[in-house]
Amino acid sequence: IPAIVPHLGDPDARVRAMAVWALKQLMAEDAWHALRSTHSTIEQDPAVMAEWWGTAASPLTISPAQGTA
């Protein structure tokens, strides 16, 4: 977890979003909520905010037909 937290400030929104996702997987719920209350207030990117608030699309919810053109 200590190696992931610094990535919450990365200039690349994709890195921040993946850091949020990874921390959600690894942290205890109360610690996660505390971290979210601190960091989500300064985030501007919609994709990263979706990770913080659990509204990001899960790859498991997209069928193979939806993923092809």
Side-chain angles (χ1 to χ4, degrees):
I1 293 173
I4 301 169
V5 171
H7 295 290
L8 295 174
D10 195 278
D12 188 332
R14 294 171 295 183
V15 173
R16 294 193 310 275
M18 291 302 96
V20 172
W21 178 88
L23 290 166
K24 173 69 173 158
Q25 305 306 307
L26 297 170
M27 295 180 78
E29 189 173 348
D30 59 335
W32 164 254
H33 288 292
L35 187 69
R36 181 176 70 182
S37 69
T38 302
H39 286 276
S40 68
T41 59
I42 58 173
E43 182 58 58
Q44 299 294 314
D45 186 84
V48 181
M49 287 300 294
E51 289 293 341
W52 276 120
W53 294 102
T55 58
S58 168
L60 299 176
T61 62
I62 300 172
S63 71
Q66 290 174 309
T68 59

